């Protein structure tokens, strides 16, 4: 009898995490090629997944009512968490009733993770459950952080303290695995690591003016990503921008918190919503450089989907040196770009690009190909197969 798998996305809608989920679905199917997979997600998320890649005939979709998130609406935010916890409860009961072999949660917020850990003390003990961990920067929350972030950190720590057999966690960063083990939050027997899976299409052919250099900020512009520095950098090149020597462009959307920092030197969408996939890919294809201003002490425990997009599109990466980028650059002998210790160093390098010829990309093309093999479905599936054999034998 073939295995039954539940793939559950109870929180994200539309394009949110669509590149990851589309790739991870294929990873699980490589690991369990004969399994019948039930995909539980919102209808708009299903459409976003199909934009990334056609779904296998072995995947059956079951719709979920996942509430949309409304910025700065506390009632809506509470309702979204409540809905997620209800989905969690309902589908665990369903999985127990159907004797599902493996339940994979593509994302769970801290409240839902805490509830799951409580359930495992008394219920659903025979069901193998895997929780995909994202955004673990919350664990470093201090007294200076917002009260809600401190609450989320407490919920995560408390959830991890209730470890029960059959409950496992996956991280996508080696340093996140080391942090969780060093802090004794999750023991090695319950913690898996895999590279961030990604579907790598053929890069779209560039169609742009040869005399204009384009720098893009990928994804959501927000303070936690240092996006305000992207606007500050653009201002330093206002003369060159006016002369059409270069373009600074946000390929994504801006959160309201960015309002005090926007200026006329950056091209950005005026609508406060995610770009359609086709528009996003077209803008990325026309770029020369993907520029990242993440802080040097940020993204230590969280990967960057935007960085994966840059690797997919073979765009030279310019960024501040931080744990996330350093880990990825260390995978290959020839780097896929340049990392800087300060924004001033980055500014000087950009000036050298404008006034000198762009450096040869030959070595970087080799780096992009190697990174795509590392994060490709086949390699990630093999890594996951080994890890699951260790814990589910």
């Amino acid at each position: 009898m073939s295995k039954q798998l539940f793939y559950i996305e109870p929180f994200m809608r539309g394009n949110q995490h669509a590149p990851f989920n589309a790739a991870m679905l294929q990873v699980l199917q490589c690991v369990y090629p004969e399994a019948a997979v039930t995909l539980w997600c919102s209808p708009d998320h299903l459409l976003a997944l199909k934009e990334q890649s056609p779904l296998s005939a072995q995947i059956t979709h079951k719709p979920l009512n996942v509430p949309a998130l409304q910025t700065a609406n506390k009632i809506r935010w509470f309702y979204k968490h409540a809905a997620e916890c209800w989905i969690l409860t309902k589908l665990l009961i369903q999985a127990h009733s159907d004797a599902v072999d493996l339940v994979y949660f593509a994302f769970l917020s801290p409240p839902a993770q805490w509830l799951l850990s409580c359930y495992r003390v008394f219920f659903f003990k025979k069901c193998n459950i895997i929780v995909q961990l994202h955004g673990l920067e919350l664990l470093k929350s201090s007294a200076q952080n917002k009260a809600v972030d401190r609450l989320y950190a407490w919920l995560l720590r408390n959830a991890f303290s209730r470890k029960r057999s059959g409950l496992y966690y996956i991280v996508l960063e080696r340093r996140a695995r080391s942090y969780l083990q060093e802090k004794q939050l999750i023991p090695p027997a319950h913690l898996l690591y895999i590279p961030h899976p990604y579907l790598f299409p053929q890069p779209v052919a560039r169609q742009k003016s040869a005399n204009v250099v384009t720098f893009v900020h990928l994804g959501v512009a927000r303070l936690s990503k240092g996006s305000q520095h992207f606007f500050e950098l653009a201002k330093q090149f206002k003369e060159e921008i006016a002369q059409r020597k270069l373009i600074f462009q946000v390929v994504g959307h801006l959160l309201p918190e960015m309002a005090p920092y926007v200026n006329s030197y950056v091209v950005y969408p005026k609508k406060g919503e995610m770009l359609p996939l086709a528009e996003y890919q077209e803008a990325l294809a026309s770029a020369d450089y993907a520029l990242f201003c993440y802080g040097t002490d940020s993204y230590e425990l969280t990967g960057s989907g935007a960085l994966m997009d840059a690797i997919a599109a073979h765009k030279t990466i310019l960024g501040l040196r931080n744990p996330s980028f350093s880990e990825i650059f260390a995978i290959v002998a020839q780097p896929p770009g340049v990392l800087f210790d300060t924004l001033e160093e980055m500014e000087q390098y950009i000036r050298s690009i404008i006034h000198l010829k762009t450096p040869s990309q030959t070595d970087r093309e080799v780096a992009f190909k190697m990174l795509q093999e590392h994060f490709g479905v086949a390699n990630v599936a093999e890594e996951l197969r080994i890890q699951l054999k260790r814990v589910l034998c």
Side-chain angles (χ1 to χ4, degrees), residues 114-132:
W114 180 83
L115 180 61
L116 172 61
S117 71
C118 292
Y119 280 156
R120 291 292 289 191
V121 176
F122 303 106
F123 311 110
F124 316 116
K125 294 182 179 180
K126 294 183 180 180
C127 187
N128 288 315
I129 300 174
I130 293 178
V131 178
Q132 183 67 57

Side-chain angles (χ1 to χ4, degrees), residues 311 314 332 364-374:
I311 293 171
H314 291 215
V332 291
R364 288 173 189 163
E365 287 301 311
V366 173
F368 287 129
K369 291 178 181 177
M370 292 181 64
L371 287 171
Q372 289 187 9
E373 289 181 7
H374 179 78

Side-chain angles (χ1 to χ4, degrees), residues 128-363:
N128 288 315
I129 300 174
I130 293 178
V131 178
Q132 183 67 57
L133 296 179
H134 299 273
L136 292 176
E137 298 293 329
L138 285 168
L139 291 172
K140 299 193 298 182
S141 235
S142 65
Q144 288 72 40
N145 290 90
K146 294 185 296 185
V148 67
D149 289 340
R150 297 199 302 272
L151 173 61
Y152 283 166
W154 182 89
L155 288 170
L156 283 177
R157 292 178 183 276
N158 194 266
F160 295 155
S161 71
R162 291 194 185 95
K163 289 170 282 291
R164 293 292 182 274
S165 63
L167 176 59
Y168 306 96
Y169 300 91
I170 295 180
V171 293
L172 304 174
E173 304 82 23
R174 288 190 178 90
R175 65 199 171 280
R177 178 180 59 182
S178 299
Y179 180 89
L180 291 168
Q181 292 179 356
E182 289 169 4
K183 300 296 183 180
Q184 298 183 340
L185 295 174
I186 302 177
H190 290 263
L191 185 61
L192 315 179
Y193 158 76
I194 58 173
H196 189 304
Y198 196 97
L199 300 177
F200 292 101
Q202 284 295 111
V204 179
R206 295 175 60 218
Q207 294 181 348
K208 65 183 298 299
S209 171
N211 297 320
V212 181
V213 183
T214 303
F215 299 87
V216 293
H217 173 296
L218 298 175
V220 180
R222 63 200 318 161
L223 295 180
S224 62
K225 292 170 65 172
S227 303
Q228 67 275 21
H229 300 307
F230 186 80
F231 287 85
E232 293 168 3
L233 272 173
K235 190 175 181 179
Q236 300 303 314
F237 295 95
K238 55 186 178 182
E239 293 181 4
E240 291 84 353
I241 291 172
Q243 297 167 8
R244 295 290 296 171
K245 290 183 178 180
L246 74 162
I247 296 172
F248 278 74
Q249 180 179 2
V250 173
V251 182
H253 71 280
L254 278 63
L255 292 186
E257 65 188 21
M258 291 299 302
Y261 304 96
V262 298
N263 56 45
S264 60
Y265 309 112
V266 176
V267 179
Y268 62 92
K270 300 303 185 287
K271 294 181 179 179
E273 56 189 34
M274 296 184 71
L275 287 177
L277 179 61
E279 290 184 29
Y280 183 89
Q281 291 179 336
E282 182 181 357
L284 178 54
S286 67
D288 294 286
Y289 296 86
L291 201 156
F292 298 87
C293 297
Y294 302 172
T296 54
D297 60 347
S298 65
Y299 277 69
E300 182 179 358
L301 306 179
T302 303
S304 169
L307 183 58
M308 300 302 296
D309 291 341
I311 293 171
H314 291 215
K315 299 304 173 183
T316 301
I317 296 162
L318 304 181
L320 293 178
R321 196 182 311 279
N322 66 28
S324 178
F325 284 39
S326 296
E327 180 176 314
I328 288 181
F329 273 51
I331 294 172
V332 291
Q334 297 294 332
V338 184
L339 298 181
F340 308 93
D341 293 319
T342 65
L343 287 166
E344 289 73 22
E345 289 182 9
M346 184 184 291
E347 178 187 338
Q348 291 305 312
Y349 186 83
I350 293 173
R351 291 195 183 281
S352 72
I353 291 173
I354 299 170
H355 299 297
L356 303 174
K357 297 296 183 182
T358 302
S360 170
Q361 303 297 305
T362 304
D363 291 341

Side-chain angles (χ1 to χ4, degrees), residues 80-90 109 111-113 115 119:
K80 186 170 178 66
H81 279 311
E84 180 192 17
C85 289
W86 165 241
I87 290 171
L88 168 73
T89 304
K90 179 179 67 173
S109 69
Q113 290 208 44
L115 180 61
Y119 280 156

Side-chain angles (χ1 to χ4, degrees), residues 64-98:
L64 292 178
N65 181 20
V66 179
L69 178 61
Q70 295 179 0
T71 306
N73 188 325
K74 294 181 180 179
I75 295 177
R76 188 73 179 182
W77 187 242
F78 178 82
Y79 172 64
K80 186 170 178 66
H81 279 311
E84 180 192 17
C85 289
W86 165 241
I87 290 171
L88 168 73
T89 304
K90 179 179 67 173
L91 294 187
L92 284 177
I93 293 173
Q94 182 75 45
H96 175 75
S97 174
D98 294 349

